[in-house]
């Protein structure tokens, strides 16, 4: 539970502290706890579109008319091909992501077989599969799954503003069940949805209390056809301040920059100085990302080293 004095302290820091002092403080915390290594992850959009949920930022909802691709669960050999390509480019962790509230029994079985396939190739596996129960998570763990991803998206207070078809607590329950099953957990969210700084501080403290291992930070790039299509993107300065805030509140965790990096523009090289120590590379779910080679060069140009150890 966040203490009011702690929340007020961070809100004052954000309001009063010079931007550069904030960023350089976060950089010092990153160096102290995470060193000069950067971890890369990548994903495959293994099943796309026709999602029943109404997340207001998402192109894959069946409720919105977007140009997002629609296709069923892809075959395990295609996923393996993409995972091997990622591993060749020093990607430490590869995640299977599907649209929808949760996979069917047949899809879950197929995903489990795919994870076994990846594990045999010494590929670290993650999955973002919606609201799985304990038994389903244990099944995937026994297939070789190491980490579960489920974004809480924003603060508990703000969440109903961006989704009405499922609850904040259902996401938390999935993460807690994953922890109970002995899996690593990855959870963060999307910024620039209309939330305020108080929501961002609340969210960071919630993730701290949940003791997540990795915090993906996404910045909204408005997608035509979604309720968020006309929202003004965050400024690069605010995006960097969000990264710094999460590094300060979660000093020992992986702060992972994912979708929406392009809004940083000429400030993109500041993400590590702001406190990030991990990146999603390659393409995202429905938008293009950066090629592996470009990100490897990006890291090298900052005098940093890729953290690439297969566990």
């Amino acid at each position: 539970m966040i203490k009011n004095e702690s929340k007020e302290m961070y809100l004052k820091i954000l309001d009063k502290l010079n931007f550069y002092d904030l960023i350089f403080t976060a950089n010092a915390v990153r160096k102290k706890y995470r060193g000069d290594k950067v971890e890369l992850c990548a994903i495959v959009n293994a099943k796309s579109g026709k999602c029943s949920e109404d997340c207001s930022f998402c192109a894959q909802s069946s409720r919105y008319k977007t140009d997002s691709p629609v296709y069923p669960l892809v075959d395990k050999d295609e996923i393996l091909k993409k995972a091997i390509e990622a591993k060749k480019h020093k990607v430490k962790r590869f995640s299977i992501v599907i649209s929808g509230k949760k996979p069917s029994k047949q899809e879950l079985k197929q995903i489990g077989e795919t994870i076994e396939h990846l594990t045999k190739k010494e590929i670290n596996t993650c999955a973002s599969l919606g609201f799985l129960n304990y038994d389903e998570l244990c099944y995937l763990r026994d297939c070789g799954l190491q980490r579960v991803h489920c974004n809480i998206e924003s603060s508990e207070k703000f969440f109903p503003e961006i989704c009405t078809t499922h609850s904040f607590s259902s996401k938390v329950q999935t993460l807690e069940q994953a922890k109970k099953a002995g899996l690593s957990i990855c959870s963060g969210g999307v910024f620039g949805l209309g939330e305020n700084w108080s929501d961002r501080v609340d969210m960071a403290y919630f993730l701290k209390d949940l003791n997540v291992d990795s915090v993906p930070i996404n910045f909204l790039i408005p997608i035509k056809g979604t309720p968020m299509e006309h929202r003004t993107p965050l400024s690069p300065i605010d995006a960097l301040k969000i990264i710094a805030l999460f590094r300060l509140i979660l000093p020992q965790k992986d702060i992972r920059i994912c979708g929406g990096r392009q809004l940083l523009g000429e400030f993109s090289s500041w993400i590590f100085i702001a406190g990030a120590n991990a990146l999603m590379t390659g393409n995202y779910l429905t938008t293009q990302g950066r090629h592996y080679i470009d990100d490897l060069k990006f890291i090298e140009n900052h005098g940093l080293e890729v953290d690439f150890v297969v566990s």
Side-chain angles (χ1 to χ4, degrees):
M1 181 69 69
I2 181 172
K3 295 180 179 179
N4 285 333
E5 59 267 28
S6 298
K7 179 176 178 178
E8 291 305 316
M9 178 189 75
Y10 276 103
L11 290 175
K12 284 181 180 178
I13 286 173
L14 290 162
D15 184 50
K16 303 294 184 183
L17 192 64
N18 176 279
F19 168 73
Y20 297 101
D21 289 339
L22 173 67
I23 296 303
F24 295 140
T25 299
N27 184 52
V29 173
R30 174 192 64 79
K31 287 179 68 69
K32 177 179 178 180
Y33 290 102
R34 307 307 292 169
D36 283 331
K37 290 190 174 183
V38 177
E39 183 188 292
L40 295 175
C41 73
I43 64 172
V44 58
N45 188 7
K47 176 188 172 186
S48 184
K50 290 189 176 180
C51 181
S52 62
E53 306 308 284
D54 70 351
C55 303
S56 59
F57 53 86
C58 185
Q60 298 198 70
S61 173
S62 61
R63 299 160 187 262
Y64 314 135
K65 293 182 179 180
T66 70
D67 294 328
S68 176
V70 176
Y71 51 82
L73 188 63
V74 301
D75 148 307
K76 68 180 180 183
D77 290 330
E78 181 63 24
I79 294 176
L80 178 62
K81 180 181 174 182
K82 292 179 181 297
I84 289 174
E85 180 189 9
K87 185 179 177 182
K88 284 179 180 176
H89 291 93
K90 298 187 177 182
V91 171
K92 183 175 180 179
R93 196 175 304 275
F94 189 80
S95 185
I96 299 169
V97 184
I98 69 166
S99 62
K101 200 162 190 175
K102 69 180 296 181
S104 67
K105 288 183 179 180
Q106 180 56 40
E107 287 172 334
L108 187 71
K109 182 175 183 293
Q110 185 178 332
I111 291 166
E113 291 170 353
T114 301
I115 290 168
E116 287 180 335
H117 211 40
L118 298 182
T119 301
K120 288 175 182 176
K121 299 293 184 181
E122 296 186 321
I123 293 167
N124 295 325
T125 54
C126 175
S128 185
L129 307 174
F131 306 120
L132 300 182
N133 62 39
Y134 178 71
D135 289 340
E136 292 165 333
L137 290 161
C138 288
Y139 161 69
L140 294 176
R141 178 203 64 202
D142 293 343
C143 290
L145 185 67
Q146 298 170 335
R147 174 174 286 178
V148 166
H149 167 266
C150 183
N151 277 345
I152 60 170
E153 307 302 3
S154 190
S155 70
E156 185 172 12
K157 179 182 177 182
F158 187 72
F159 187 84
E161 301 295 320
I162 56 174
C163 182
T164 65
T165 51
H166 59 263
S167 65
F168 184 88
S169 62
S170 63
K171 288 179 168 287
V172 176
Q173 184 178 17
T174 299
L175 292 164
E176 289 175 338
Q177 292 300 303
K179 284 179 70 176
K180 182 181 175 183
L183 293 161
S184 170
I185 57 173
C186 177
S187 185
V190 184
F191 297 88
L193 302 174
E195 79 285 351
N196 58 32
W197 283 106
S198 179
D199 291 312
R200 294 163 187 165
V201 173
D202 284 347
M203 178 184 173
Y205 267 97
F206 193 93
L207 293 170
K208 183 183 181 73
D209 289 343
L210 200 57
N211 195 26
V212 301
D213 301 293
S214 172
V215 181
I217 290 179
N218 300 273
F219 303 114
L220 177 70
I221 300 297
I223 296 172
K224 186 177 180 181
T226 68
M228 291 283 175
E229 67 174 312
H230 298 301
R231 182 160 290 284
T232 302
L234 290 171
S235 70
I237 296 299
D238 276 349
L240 291 170
K241 287 172 70 175
I242 288 166
I243 298 171
L245 172 69
F246 275 71
R247 170 54 67 205
L248 294 176
I249 295 177
L250 296 121
Q252 299 184 53
K253 305 302 182 180
D254 288 327
I255 304 299
R256 188 178 306 277
I257 310 307
C258 298
R261 252 199 287 170
Q262 61 266 45
L263 73 72
L264 287 160
E266 61 188 13
F267 287 90
S268 63
S269 61
W270 284 61
I271 58 174
F272 303 120
I273 299 172
N277 73 300
L279 293 176
M280 179 183 288
T281 186
N283 289 330
Y284 305 125
L285 288 176
T286 59
T287 57
Q288 280 195 320
R290 279 169 59 98
H291 192 276
Y292 302 126
I293 293 173
D294 293 333
D295 272 338
L296 289 171
K297 193 67 177 176
F298 179 63
I299 292 166
E300 180 186 347
N301 287 344
H302 284 77
L304 302 173
E305 181 183 350
V306 178
D307 177 9
F308 182 63
V309 178
V310 178
S311 60

